[in-house]
Amino acid sequence: MDNRNIKTIAIIGAGTIGSSWAALFLAYGYHVVVSDPAPDVEANTRTLIDSAWQTLRELGKVQDESFLDNLRFEADLHKALENVDFVQENAPEREDFKISLFAKMDALLPEHVIISSSSSGLLVSRMQSQCRYPQRCVLGHPFNPPHVIPLVEVVGGEQTSEDTIERTLQFYRAVGKHPIRLNKEIAGHIANRLQAAVWREVMHLVNENVASVQDIDAAMSKGPGLRWAIFGPQMVFDLAGGRAGLAHLIDHLQPAIETWMDDLGNPRMTPELRERMVQGTQQAREDKSFESLLRYRDSHLIDILKSLDKK
């Protein structure tokens, strides 16, 4: 099936992720139908899309302002899936619910229509387990917010076809995403596992009273986080090795680095640690509102992305 035949996309499950996906697809000229049984879904989704649209406009991704008119809402799943060419699922992160939902969608859709899940950690092999056509089920996990962050993780389940994976990769590239392919399924995928590894050490440092929550965050945002916006950890270490690269760094610093690795913590979120982390984060917010922090984040993300596009 040629991806050029994709004209209409179903967003199953709105919320922040689904609305963000919807805005992105609309900006690229696709017709989008949103289906979610929640009350007031249309008003809430339109508000989120309007906000995302401003960001997409600043990023130069809105191809035509009139594309916003290509949005419609349909609560009934059967009607929502009529004549769609691609499905982006964003339902609650419960395995039993996803298995049931995938089976329902699979029964309603032609065999060639890809069902891609935004799941943060569930396995496609489980979600596709009750489908007639499991070969068309795939993971397309974005990073929040999908209309801004380029990353999307793509992996198939045990029964997913190679054609589905390749078509999914091509489709996401066509809407300005940077898809990466996982060679096999793993809980939490890649990016969330990396985040979890860092956060585990944040928990340990807070638990050991090494520094305040604010200063621990600053250690990342004012240090390695700046480099990681440009290169991943491997390339950062390769440059740290000088002209001889990663091999030189490993030969000279790996013994020291391994002692740090051996000393990393493995904490658990006790009630006491939870309270310290929550209070520390609230203090770091300095009474800034949720909305102002979002604007601050997104405005700087836009600047970073524009800067990286110039390379």
Side-chain angles (χ1 to χ4, degrees):
M1 185 73 179
D2 194 327
N3 276 350
R4 287 176 296 182
N5 292 318
I6 296 177
K7 306 295 183 184
T8 303
I9 299 170
I11 300 292
I12 306 301
T16 56
I17 299 299
S19 300
S20 180
W21 272 125
L24 179 68
F25 296 148
L26 287 166
Y28 277 84
Y30 293 95
H31 289 261
V32 174
V33 53
V34 174
S35 183
D36 191 309
D40 301 322
V41 65
E42 180 168 350
N44 293 336
T45 301
R46 287 190 184 277
T47 297
L48 290 168
I49 288 176
D50 287 344
S51 176
W53 200 256
Q54 297 177 38
T55 301
L56 287 163
R57 190 185 294 119
E58 289 184 61
L59 288 169
K61 294 184 180 294
V62 175
Q63 299 182 2
D64 191 314
E65 293 290 341
S66 69
F67 287 164
L68 267 178
D69 297 334
N70 293 338
L71 174 67
R72 69 182 179 90
F73 293 83
E74 180 54 70
D76 181 81
L77 183 65
H78 187 282
K79 292 180 180 178
L81 295 179
E82 288 179 351
N83 302 315
V84 303
D85 308 304
F86 188 92
V87 175
Q88 187 73 46
E89 173 271 320
N90 319 276
E93 194 78 350
R94 300 200 318 267
E95 185 179 272
D96 58 342
F97 185 87
K98 298 260 193 188
I99 291 172
S100 175
L101 176 61
F102 266 61
K104 291 176 183 176
M105 293 190 294
D106 177 71
L108 294 170
L109 291 162
E111 183 180 354
H112 68 273
V113 176
I114 291 172
I115 304 174
S116 184
S117 177
S118 297
S119 173
S120 298
L122 299 178
L123 303 183
V124 180
S125 292
R126 296 292 303 146
M127 290 186 277
Q128 70 187 177
S129 61
Q130 301 299 315
C131 293
R132 293 179 307 163
Y133 305 115
Q135 68 274 10
R136 47 95 162 271
C137 301
V138 69
L139 180 89
H141 173 242
F143 233 53
N144 191 29
H147 68 279
V148 178
I149 304 294
L151 178 68
V152 58
E153 298 171 310
V154 176
V155 65
E158 294 173 356
Q159 301 180 77
T160 306
S161 71
E162 182 66 22
D163 178 67
T164 293
I165 294 172
E166 286 301 322
R167 286 179 55 209
T168 302
L169 291 166
Q170 292 171 12
F171 171 71
Y172 287 134
R173 291 190 191 105
V175 291
K177 303 294 283 181
H178 187 108
I180 62 171
R181 178 173 180 173
L182 281 67
N183 295 324
K184 64 178 182 180
E185 294 179 289
I186 187 169
H189 322 313
I190 294 175
N192 277 337
R193 291 177 70 93
L194 293 173
Q195 283 200 131
V198 172
W199 200 43
R200 181 176 68 179
E201 187 57 18
V202 170
M203 290 169 58
H204 174 66
L205 294 171
V206 172
N207 200 43
E208 293 296 312
N209 199 28
V210 172
S212 69
V213 170
Q214 189 169 6
D215 282 348
I216 293 169
D217 261 13
M220 177 62 72
S221 65
K222 307 303 181 184
L226 294 171
R227 298 185 302 197
W228 288 350
I230 304 165
F231 295 121
Q234 281 293 96
M235 186 62 73
V236 166
F237 277 172
D238 185 60
L239 292 175
R243 295 189 181 279
L246 185 62
H248 177 77
L249 181 135
I250 291 173
D251 292 343
H252 287 79
L253 288 180
Q254 190 62 24
I257 293 173
E258 286 181 348
T259 64
W260 309 339
M261 291 178 175
D262 292 340
D263 195 51
L264 293 175
N266 190 26
R268 289 294 178 265
M269 189 66 81
T270 63
E272 294 77 17
L273 177 57
R274 176 187 180 279
E275 184 64 19
R276 290 176 63 186
M277 295 190 72
V278 169
Q279 285 190 358
T281 304
Q282 289 175 340
Q283 291 171 3
R285 290 177 72 153
E286 299 175 342
D287 296 325
K288 295 183 176 70
S289 70
F290 174 75
E291 290 75 17
S292 68
L293 288 170
L294 279 184
R295 287 194 296 271
Y296 180 85
R297 180 198 68 181
D298 289 351
S299 67
H300 285 281
L301 282 173
I302 291 168
D303 290 341
I304 291 169
L305 290 170
K306 286 182 175 179
S307 175
L308 292 174
D309 283 343
K310 296 176 183 177
K311 67 178 182 179

